[in-house]
Amino acid sequence: MNVMLFHSTYGLRPAVHAAADRLRAAGHEVWTPDLFDGHIFETVEEGRACKDAIGKDELLKRAILAAAPYSGRGLVYAGFSFGAATAQTLALGDDKARGLLLLHGTSDIAETASVDELPVQLHVAEPDAFETDDWLSSWYLQMGRTGADVEIYRYAGAGHLYTDPALPDYDEEAAEATWRVALGFLDSL
């Protein structure tokens, strides 16, 4: 499978490279575009400041330009938190998308979004301050209305970015469970 993997607001950290390597070891081709021009952050606040300084439109443009050379192959869009939101936006706008793998995040859904049974898998902490229960319920219903085939996996007690071993949110058990399920998802596409 061809996977376009987007980083979180922390930037293109070693954990993103490790995730890409894990996917490559399972036989997938993976690209990890750097939407922040090499900037890596220690706090979410620093990352948000960079994201805000670059601007939503510019970040989306960078993501589209990164994916464009490969989209004809039928990409699986994937990402971490902010990167998941980016991946979601691109997948819902790409009629050749093969799947959507969301780790730690979702995004608003355009009312006009429509897909043909796009496989979607979401992995989030429970609870998660950024992905509240009410938000996820609404998101799930909206994704269903787009025509997506959605699976949601929740990880009790894990922190928001629980797959990154260098962050305080890290939860090894939840991270390994996430990767087992996610690799099975990719293999099924």
Side-chain angles (χ1 to χ4, degrees), residues 154-171:
R154 305 288 307 268
Y155 299 88
H160 176 66
L161 276 169
Y162 64 83
T163 59
D164 188 330
L167 294 175
D169 288 347
Y170 182 62
D171 183 309

Side-chain angles (χ1 to χ4, degrees), residues 34-119:
D34 185 351
L35 303 181
F36 288 175
D37 296 325
H39 297 286
I40 296 174
F41 303 100
E42 294 301 316
T43 69
V44 73
E45 293 80 16
E46 292 170 336
R48 282 188 181 156
C50 175
K51 184 177 82 162
D52 293 345
I54 295 170
K56 184 177 179 177
D57 290 342
E58 176 62 23
L59 288 167
L60 184 57
K61 176 182 170 186
R62 291 177 183 187
I64 290 168
L65 289 173
Y70 312 104
S71 63
R73 300 179 184 191
L75 290 171
V76 173
Y77 292 93
F80 298 94
S81 192
F82 153 72
T86 303
Q88 177 185 305
T89 300
L90 268 61
L92 292 179
D94 181 353
D95 61 359
K96 293 180 182 167
R98 298 282 307 275
L100 176 59
L101 176 60
L102 303 171
L103 303 163
H104 322 295
T106 60
S107 182
D108 294 327
I109 301 166
E111 288 185 28
T112 57
S114 177
V115 294
D116 187 17
E117 297 182 13
L118 179 71

